[in-house]
Amino acid sequence: MSEYRQSSPTATLCGADGIRALSGPGILCAAESWSLAQAHGRDAIAFLQGQLTQDVRRIDRSTSLPAAYCSPKGRVLSTLRLFLHHEDVGLILPAERRTAVLERLSKFILRADVHLSPTDDRVTFGCAGSEAAGILASVLGIDLPETPNHASSTPDTTVLRLPAPVARFIVITTSERAKPLWLGCIEAGLQVTDDDTWRWLDIAAGAAEIGPTGVETYTPQMLNLQLTDAVSFTKGCYTGQEVVARTQYLGEVKRRLYRAHIDDTRRPQADVALWAPGETEAEQTIGRLLTVSPHPDGGFAALAVVQVHATAAAEVRLQDENGPIVTLESLTPDLEEED
């Protein structure tokens, strides 16, 4: 557990209890599944421009954007979020993917003036809820971004606003600053929750994150990343760009990201298959779960990549024909896709 969390004067709300706390003033979440890295040097932006799906030139002190890192075959190796920290480009990415991503990116630096490194001297935590913006702004003493994908900062702290049904922020700060900020937010009425609350908000926002089993499995379009401003189709070349662009303009996306509800009391694991009636075992496996969290009204919420043609099936279940019932919900009505 992070040192600043050990001094929390209140108990951590877990699972559905933490998610229900969003109906109050708001929540704090340590989100220890995240990690930080940075790209430093004169060529940092130009280097990342040739590696990531996002137009990295759009990043500035008031703009933070999602992105993906793909293989040459256009398959996602990791999702991430970019921001500017002083003169460096900051990266937020899944902790279990950081080492592999940095090692792979480093192979392509060659003579570029850029240095990639983990950022372990800074910490992150999440803050969300109806009163979260006001409380966090008061504790920090700054104006917070009013819309998603924007940022505010002080010399030692950066705040990023993320998409969600409620105001949602990532706070990135020094180890010394984290404890007073954390305690100040608690004293002002925010409740501490576990990571399930943040996963729930990711699911609500349609923000996909792949684990180790999903690496090099999905194109950005299968994760709806082109709908969440994580992919630029005008920036020029980057690793995997040819496949991603061809899929967008000439291909048919046969699998897409959906929101799912699993009617069960047992928590399913990520990467579990979804089943629908079919003549062969291959036809019966129509998709797989990604992110999973408890649902505050019972059962579990999830994001899943599913074969588009199979979403109209009369019956979808988890794993096999005897598994719990799964209800799928399209994310595209909530997101606007460019013509």
Side-chain angles (χ1 to χ4, degrees), residues 137-166:
S138 177
V139 173
L140 278 170
I142 62 171
D143 293 329
L144 297 187
E146 296 182 356
T147 54
N149 294 336
H150 286 84
S152 299
S153 63
T154 69
D156 60 10
T157 302
T158 300
V159 181
L160 315 178
R161 183 156 183 167
L162 273 61
V166 296

Side-chain angles (χ1 to χ4, degrees), residues 2-339:
S2 301
E3 182 178 349
Y4 68 90
R5 288 188 60 197
Q6 295 177 6
S7 58
S8 296
T10 59
T12 299
L13 298 177
C14 298
D17 289 337
I19 298 166
R20 284 190 282 267
L22 287 166
S23 62
I27 63 95
L28 286 172
C29 173
E32 299 194 353
S33 60
W34 306 340
S35 63
L36 289 172
Q38 65 181 12
H40 172 77
R42 184 178 64 249
D43 300 327
I45 289 178
F47 171 74
L48 292 175
Q49 182 76 349
Q51 300 296 324
L52 306 180
T53 59
Q54 182 57 259
D55 186 346
V56 185
R57 298 168 299 184
R58 296 173 60 196
I59 306 299
D60 57 33
R61 298 189 189 283
S62 63
T63 305
S64 163
L65 292 169
Y69 181 37
C70 293
S71 71
K73 295 182 179 180
R75 301 285 169 150
V76 176
L77 298 166
S78 181
T79 54
L80 59 153
R81 176 164 287 271
L82 306 171
F83 65 99
L84 202 63
H85 175 63
H86 298 307
E87 302 305 318
D88 300 334
V89 179
L91 301 86
I92 301 176
L93 66 168
E96 58 191 0
R97 294 296 301 145
R98 183 176 69 174
T99 298
V101 167
L102 293 183
E103 287 180 351
R104 184 167 181 140
L105 283 171
S106 296
K107 294 178 181 179
F108 303 101
I109 291 177
L110 302 178
R111 296 182 180 180
D113 179 16
V114 57
H115 177 67
L116 301 171
S117 62
T119 311
D120 292 327
D121 60 341
R122 300 179 69 79
V123 298
T124 62
F125 62 84
C127 177
S130 60
E131 299 180 28
I135 290 173
L136 190 56
S138 177
V139 173
L140 278 170
I142 62 171
D143 293 329
L144 297 187
E146 296 182 356
T147 54
N149 294 336
H150 286 84
S152 299
S153 63
T154 69
D156 60 10
T157 302
T158 300
V159 181
L160 315 178
R161 183 156 183 167
L162 273 61
V166 296
R168 180 163 71 139
F169 304 92
I170 293 178
V171 179
I172 305 150
T173 191
T174 62
S175 300
E176 296 79 12
R177 190 83 170 99
K179 182 176 179 179
L181 288 178
W182 181 265
L183 292 177
C185 289
I186 293 173
E187 291 170 0
L190 298 186
Q191 295 183 277
V192 179
T193 71
D194 65 5
D195 281 7
D196 273 333
T197 305
W198 207 260
R199 294 188 189 99
W200 163 261
L201 292 169
D202 278 343
I203 292 166
E209 180 179 302
I210 59 171
T213 56
V215 173
E216 292 194 76
T217 301
Y218 308 110
T219 65
Q221 287 90 344
M222 293 178 190
L223 301 177
N224 288 357
L225 296 182
Q226 83 283 10
L227 304 178
T228 58
D229 199 16
V231 182
S232 170
F233 294 101
T234 59
K235 61 174 279 186
C237 294
Y238 59 89
T239 304
Q241 180 264 343
E242 183 178 350
V243 175
V244 175
R246 187 168 63 243
T247 300
Q248 184 71 11
Y249 296 117
L250 301 176
E252 179 184 1
V253 180
K254 297 181 178 180
R255 290 185 285 169
R256 286 195 181 275
L257 192 70
Y258 288 80
R259 193 179 292 124
H261 179 266
I262 300 101
D263 186 14
D264 199 13
T265 57
R266 298 163 298 176
R267 181 174 188 141
Q269 297 298 312
D271 200 45
V272 171
L274 298 182
W275 177 94
E279 294 184 3
T280 67
E281 184 176 347
E283 291 177 349
Q284 292 171 352
T285 301
I286 65 166
R288 291 189 177 276
L289 298 184
L290 295 181
T291 307
V292 179
S293 83
H295 194 290
D297 296 327
F300 294 88
L303 291 175
V305 176
V306 184
Q307 295 174 16
V308 175
H309 75 87
T311 58
E315 183 179 53
V316 177
R317 291 182 177 270
L318 194 67
Q319 200 161 20
D320 56 38
E321 60 185 310
N322 300 312
I325 293 174
V326 177
T327 305
L328 298 174
E329 176 189 353
S330 173
L331 288 163
T332 50
D334 304 329
L335 303 167
E336 184 176 351
E337 184 168 12
E338 295 180 2
D339 297 329

